[in-house]
Amino acid sequence: MKIRYLLLICVLAIKIVSAQNSISGKITDDKTGEALIGAIVYIPDLKSGVTTDLNGVYKIGNLPPAKFIIEVKYIGYITIDEVVDFATVTARDFKLKMSAIEAKGVVITGSALSSDNSRTSVTIVPIDKRELQTTPSSNIIDALANIPGISQVTSGGSISKPVIRGLGYNRVVTISEGTRQEGNQWGDEHGIEIDQFSADRIEVLKGPASLFYGSDAMGGVINILEPIPAMRGTIGGEFGSSLSSNNLLTSNSLMNEGNVNGFIWRVRGSVKSSASYRTPDEYVYNSGYNETNAGLMAGLNKRWGYSHFHYSIFDTHIGIVEGERDSATNKFVDAGGQIVPDNILKGRKPDLPFQHVIHHKLSSVSNIIVGKDQLKLAFGYQLNDRKEHVDSRTEPGLFFRLGTITADIKYQQLVSTSIEAVYGISGMFQSNVNKGVEFLVPDYQSKDFGGFVYAKKSMKKLTLNAGIRIDHRSVHGDELTGRYYGHTPFVSDTILRDFTSNFSAVSGSTGMTYKFSEKFNVKFNVGRAFRSPNIAELASNGVHEGTFRYEVGNSNLKAETSLQFDGDITYSEEYYQVSVDAFYNTIDNFIYQRNIGSESWKIGNQNYPVYRFVQGNSVLKGFEANVDIHPKDHFHFENSISLVEGENKSLGEALPWIPATHTRHVFRWNIEAARKSVFRNPYVYFGGDWYWKQNRYDMFETETGSYVLYSLGTGSDLRIGQRIMTLFVAASNLTNVKYYDHLSRLKYAGVYNMGRNVTFGLTIPFGIATLKER
């Protein structure tokens, strides 16, 4: 009898899996009824989508018999998102309304549940591919720096670290290829090892996200999303290229992708090369870099869901700018004290000192449909080799080899028609080995484990959500003795003592959204987050090259904990849109550095100030506001302001690395082109970014004056059949202003930020074959 029931279950399961479900329809203009060619129809949870053909028709097959969000978008129109039950609906037409408002993506995937952004209580800002493509930048974080609430700590032309509402370093988690990116991100001069061409869309979560991501997501999350897989039965690709005038940065990327009966792949190779950048006064010696990246994705998109495997390698040589000069001429000198000749000063090959970073990443991301529920699996392995060459081009001084294994399992359950729940567990193991002749941090091992429960109830206008999480992290640092040769140690025999530190925390979040009308929406969220100290804070002991200081860790540090209140109001009319986001964040046991009593340590002929890691309570508060005015359909006046204040309550002083208040004002003309024109969405813009004086700063920082940076740009999409080519020209710092960004580490070496820069860019898609599917 039991065998009979088992066979019956297997037969039913086979029938369910083999069921053929599809949806098709037509996308048209709401007023004219004209077919919209190239509109995107996408199902985020299945990573399946198509573009409409010359008749505005779409069809997506191999769908499971369950409910999913379907997103329909077209440039210049209001994006539609709708929950569709593919078990009963096989045909659905969509009529899109034109909108003067620059519509962002509305479906958010970086939270526990894919959802309309207006029904997500945390503040999330989506940045689409077109915006990323046409924003001049030297790396992927640089492309986000003009978004209100987002800043960057920079170390020259190539290294940028994200800062969200005044919090950066290990307080921001970056997600790429479905898993968290883990390198040596604790370092001031350590960038993000991700190819910027690989990003199709980015979601920036502003605020505590420990509920979903555990430790380190105290400030927020940068979620970098891969492109939509190729349509079934197609093989194609794209070529992207850009050239910048200031540092002669050349960036080129070639991608091939395909989809044959649900077997998908994507292969990409990218090369970037930069000479030294120019300030209004001079070329900055040793600011050039060279970067080579490669990536492969292969997987299956079937009716049961999808499973994708990723491999990427990021390889870069980056010069370290120290800013040392000849006392008589004020010209840059090299490591030997000689004035740098012009051919090397302007060159592309980094001189000593420089970094060589290689980052390997292998990940597997799957979403398996289980009836009406979803099982989401993400596993990853990363190997980060970071070498810092100070005295020799062949033998590194510092050499960290960091290996990371991550696992993330979520089960998404449809409890009822209005309630969704997610249950998740995650873990991470890290091991670092020192392979150089110098030291800064010890060999160490770190183990993480956590689990959470999250639920969301959606009603007609009101959405409620709540969740709780428990985490534990254990960090063990190995003893480091005199077998390492390098700088004179603080402790004569034992350079670094062994230690074990354990951290446990409970975090959570609760919030609501209320949609008063299609025009008026509010959000409110309360979140508790935590962060365990990183290895540098716990156990560093040595000179941190490029930071001009000797750092000493503290193995007795406690975990940081925060409580943040967020509120968001959005109001839209036909010719304007206003949004205001405000936050208040208290952080207990905030970790920071302090030079106490002018302590210093002499190595050779040079004195280094000693900075020790200590703790105290702190508060960060501020807001971001956006006003988009468009008195006529194709004219826009976009305005934004972001302000954050950070106070060390224990000392009654400002927190370090708090960005200056920033206002942005852009006049944009979206030129109307004929429907059958080869030009699509041409535009011209002129903008100004005003950075206020930063006179609230930590005792080891300096005041930064105010300045205004002007920008100018133009571009257009070109329709070639059903494919869209993108061209743009953009100029930044038009008036060649000489300035220091408050978060630039090079201002302490007397090196200004980049001067005038003009960037030319294009993206060319191409098709190789269209196959007949079975």
Side-chain angles (χ1 to χ4, degrees):
M1 184 66 69
K2 290 182 178 180
I3 295 176
R4 184 181 301 173
Y5 284 135
L6 182 60
L7 289 174
L8 180 60
I9 291 171
C10 291
V11 170
L12 290 174
I14 291 172
K15 287 185 176 181
I16 291 172
V17 170
S18 61
Q20 293 287 341
N21 295 86
S22 65
I23 187 169
S24 60
K26 190 172 184 179
I27 313 300
T28 56
D29 183 289
D30 177 69
K31 289 185 177 180
T32 66
E34 187 175 1
L36 298 181
I37 304 169
I40 296 174
V41 184
Y42 185 52
I43 307 168
D45 283 327
L46 300 178
K47 291 192 181 294
S48 180
V50 297
T51 57
T52 55
D53 62 17
L54 295 174
N55 298 312
V57 173
Y58 75 93
K59 182 176 181 179
I60 306 176
N62 286 317
L63 299 174
K67 293 182 179 180
F68 292 93
I69 290 181
I70 189 168
E71 182 181 40
V72 184
K73 54 186 177 181
Y74 191 73
I75 294 177
Y77 288 76
I78 298 174
T79 298
I80 291 177
D81 68 289
E82 185 177 303
V83 177
V84 177
D85 188 347
F86 299 132
T88 58
V89 178
T90 59
R92 180 73 171 88
D93 294 337
F94 293 94
K95 296 180 179 181
L96 301 186
K97 296 181 180 179
M98 291 190 69
S99 173
I101 297 173
E102 293 291 323
K104 301 280 188 179
V106 297
V107 177
I108 298 300
T109 62
S111 186
L113 297 165
S114 296
S115 173
D116 185 320
N117 198 4
S118 66
R119 289 186 173 271
T120 303
S121 64
V122 294
T123 302
I124 299 180
V125 179
I127 302 96
D128 61 26
K129 181 178 181 178
R130 191 168 187 260
E131 188 173 352
L132 291 171
Q133 284 178 336
T134 58
T135 300
S137 59
S138 58
N139 57 69
I140 197 165
I141 302 303
D142 191 23
L144 308 178
N146 283 326
I147 298 171
I150 313 300
S151 310
Q152 57 179 334
V153 174
T154 59
S155 300
S158 62
I159 300 174
S160 298
K161 302 177 71 66
V163 176
I164 301 178
R165 291 176 167 175
L167 296 176
Y169 296 84
N170 285 75
R171 298 181 180 96
V172 173
V173 166
T174 300
I175 305 294
S176 175
E177 296 171 350
T179 57
R180 58 189 290 161
Q181 186 79 9
E182 287 292 325
N184 290 286
Q185 61 261 36
W186 47 265
D188 287 295
E189 77 287 11
H190 301 173
I192 303 295
E193 300 93 352
I194 296 174
D195 177 9
Q196 71 181 101
F197 283 101
S198 67
D200 183 74
R201 185 166 174 262
I202 296 179
E203 296 172 353
V204 180
L205 192 159
K206 297 191 288 188
S210 289
L211 172 63
F212 306 129
Y213 299 100
S215 178
D216 301 354
M218 175 176 285
V221 176
I222 308 290
N223 185 26
I224 301 170
L225 303 174
E226 63 177 320
I228 298 172
M231 293 184 294
R232 289 178 68 90
T234 64
I235 300 175
E238 72 175 21
F239 172 72
S241 182
S242 65
L243 171 66
S244 297
S245 64
N246 183 287
N247 55 355
L248 300 180
L249 170 64
T250 59
S251 304
N252 297 283
S253 183
L254 181 64
M255 182 270 286
N256 167 251
E257 63 179 354
N259 186 332
V260 180
N261 290 315
F263 171 72
I264 64 172
W265 73 87
R266 184 184 309 111
V267 183
R268 181 182 293 276
S270 304
V271 178
K272 297 168 69 174
S273 178
S274 168
S276 296
Y277 80 84
R278 285 178 293 170
T279 72
D281 287 342
E282 60 188 352
Y283 286 91
V284 178
Y285 167 57
N286 213 25
S287 61
Y289 64 95
N290 295 284
E291 178 182 309
T292 304
N293 304 304
L296 167 67
M297 184 275 286
L300 295 174
N301 274 30
K302 296 291 186 179
R303 66 183 66 88
W304 47 260
Y306 67 83
S307 184
H308 296 172
F309 295 87
H310 301 263
Y311 170 73
S312 63
I313 179 172
F314 178 99
D315 189 338
T316 184
H317 288 78
I318 305 172
I320 297 176
V321 178
E322 295 193 316
E324 296 190 5
R325 302 173 184 268
D326 177 67
S327 58
T329 63
N330 202 39
K331 293 184 177 181
F332 288 106
V333 296
D334 60 21
Q338 302 299 311
I339 294 176
V340 181
D342 276 359
N343 64 318
I344 296 178
L345 177 67
K346 303 176 183 179
R348 295 179 179 271
K349 184 178 180 180
D351 209 349
L352 292 173
F354 68 87
Q355 300 179 38
H356 182 200
V357 181
I358 302 177
H359 189 90
H360 298 269
K361 185 174 183 179
L362 180 67
S363 64
S364 168
V365 181
S366 304
N367 188 11
I368 301 170
I369 309 305
V370 185
K372 297 181 179 180
D373 303 334
Q374 301 177 51
L375 176 63
K376 299 183 178 183
L377 309 171
F379 303 98
Y381 172 73
Q382 299 168 69
L383 182 65
N384 184 280
D385 277 356
R386 176 172 294 278
K387 303 176 184 179
E388 296 187 0
H389 295 255
V390 179
D391 302 315
S392 168
R393 299 197 68 88
T394 57
E395 294 294 327
L398 291 173
F399 182 177
F400 306 127
R401 172 164 289 175
L402 177 66
T404 303
I405 298 172
T406 55
D408 190 21
I409 301 172
K410 298 185 181 75
Y411 189 82
Q412 179 179 325
Q413 182 182 27
L414 185 62
V415 178
S416 69
T417 56
S418 64
I419 299 177
E420 296 174 280
V422 181
Y423 318 95
I425 58 173
S426 60
M428 182 172 69
F429 174 77
Q430 288 188 319
S431 177
N432 180 75
V433 178
N434 280 290
K435 300 181 72 68
V437 296
E438 299 179 9
F439 68 90
L440 179 59
V441 298
D443 297 355
Y444 71 91
Q445 303 82 44
S446 175
K447 300 176 184 178
D448 281 45
F449 181 78
F452 74 92
V453 177
Y454 173 81
K456 178 178 178 180
K457 181 174 177 61
S458 301
M459 292 165 273
K460 186 176 181 180
K461 293 186 175 183
L462 177 67
T463 303
L464 302 173
N465 64 79
I468 189 169
R469 181 185 181 102
I470 299 175
D471 279 278
H472 178 77
R473 171 176 288 185
S474 176
V475 182
H476 174 77
D478 297 339
E479 183 178 279
L480 181 61
T481 64
R483 69 180 185 275
Y484 282 80
Y485 303 98
H487 300 310
T488 303
F490 253 71
V491 181
S492 59
D493 296 322
T494 302
I495 299 172
L496 296 169
R497 301 184 186 280
D498 71 323
F499 72 94
T500 299
S501 296
N502 292 288
F503 308 96
S504 296
V506 176
S507 52
S509 177
T510 183
M512 56 79 68
T513 69
Y514 193 84
K515 201 166 189 176
F516 287 92
S517 66
E518 290 298 320
K519 299 179 180 181
F520 186 32
N521 190 74
V522 298
K523 298 181 180 183
F524 181 74
N525 194 79
V526 181
R528 179 177 173 82
F530 88 104
R531 183 184 75 90
S532 301
N534 63 46
I535 189 61
E537 293 164 339
L538 289 169
S540 59
N541 189 357
V543 174
H544 195 168
E545 295 294 344
T547 66
F548 321 109
R549 59 180 179 256
Y550 196 113
E551 296 182 351
V552 181
N554 179 359
S555 60
N556 295 317
L557 293 174
K558 300 176 182 178
E560 297 178 339
T561 57
S562 72
L563 183 65
Q564 178 163 315
F565 298 85
D566 282 274
D568 175 277
I569 299 174
T570 302
Y571 186 79
S572 301
E573 283 286 357
E574 185 178 1
Y575 293 112
Y576 68 90
Q577 183 181 58
V578 180
S579 65
V580 179
D581 307 323
F583 65 94
Y584 186 88
N585 189 9
T586 62
I587 304 179
D588 294 335
N589 299 316
F590 186 86
I591 300 171
Y592 58 97
Q593 290 178 310
R594 185 63 70 226
N595 177 251
I596 302 171
S598 300
E599 181 183 10
S600 65
W601 191 257
K602 187 172 185 179
I603 298 175
N605 295 321
Q606 186 168 354
N607 275 316
Y608 290 90
V610 175
Y611 280 83
R612 298 181 179 272
F613 288 96
V614 294
Q615 293 187 291
N617 296 337
S618 64
V619 171
L620 293 103
K621 55 187 176 182
F623 70 93
E624 299 97 42
N626 294 268
V627 180
D628 184 359
I629 304 170
H630 33 90
K632 293 195 174 182
D633 285 349
H634 303 286
F635 290 91
H636 292 258
F637 182 31
E638 302 165 2
N639 304 270
S640 66
I641 181 172
S642 56
L643 179 151
V644 57
E645 291 184 356
E647 182 181 2
N648 185 326
K649 302 294 288 185
S650 299
L651 298 178
E653 298 179 355
L655 287 177
W657 300 113
I658 300 298
T661 299
H662 173 207
T663 65
R664 180 172 174 82
H665 312 278
V666 179
F667 294 92
R668 179 183 294 270
W669 177 26
N670 292 333
I671 304 169
E672 185 175 10
R675 179 72 69 183
K676 295 183 180 180
S677 171
V678 67
F679 292 97
R680 286 188 54 193
N681 313 301
Y683 65 89
V684 177
Y685 73 84
F686 174 74
D689 289 87
W690 178 24
Y691 293 85
W692 298 16
K693 177 189 292 187
Q694 181 55 291
N695 53 16
R696 288 179 52 82
Y697 50 91
D698 185 79
M699 64 173 62
F700 70 83
E701 296 181 300
T702 59
E703 182 176 282
T704 308
S706 63
Y707 54 92
V708 180
L709 304 178
Y710 295 103
S711 57
L712 178 67
T714 184
S716 178
D717 294 335
L718 303 179
R719 184 168 60 195
I720 304 172
Q722 286 184 259
R723 302 185 184 277
I724 304 298
M725 174 179 173
T726 302
L727 297 170
F728 76 91
V729 181
S732 57
N733 196 2
L734 270 176
T735 55
N736 210 28
V737 173
K738 185 165 60 176
Y739 72 98
Y740 292 123
D741 185 283
H742 188 70
L743 301 189
S744 170
R745 293 177 54 256
L746 298 188
K747 78 171 185 174
Y748 299 103
V751 177
Y752 289 101
N753 286 79
M754 186 179 290
R756 184 185 299 112
N757 187 34
V758 181
T759 300
F760 306 84
L762 77 162
T763 302
I764 305 173
F766 55 85
I768 297 176
T770 301
L771 308 174
K772 186 175 181 180
E773 295 271 83
R774 293 197 303 271

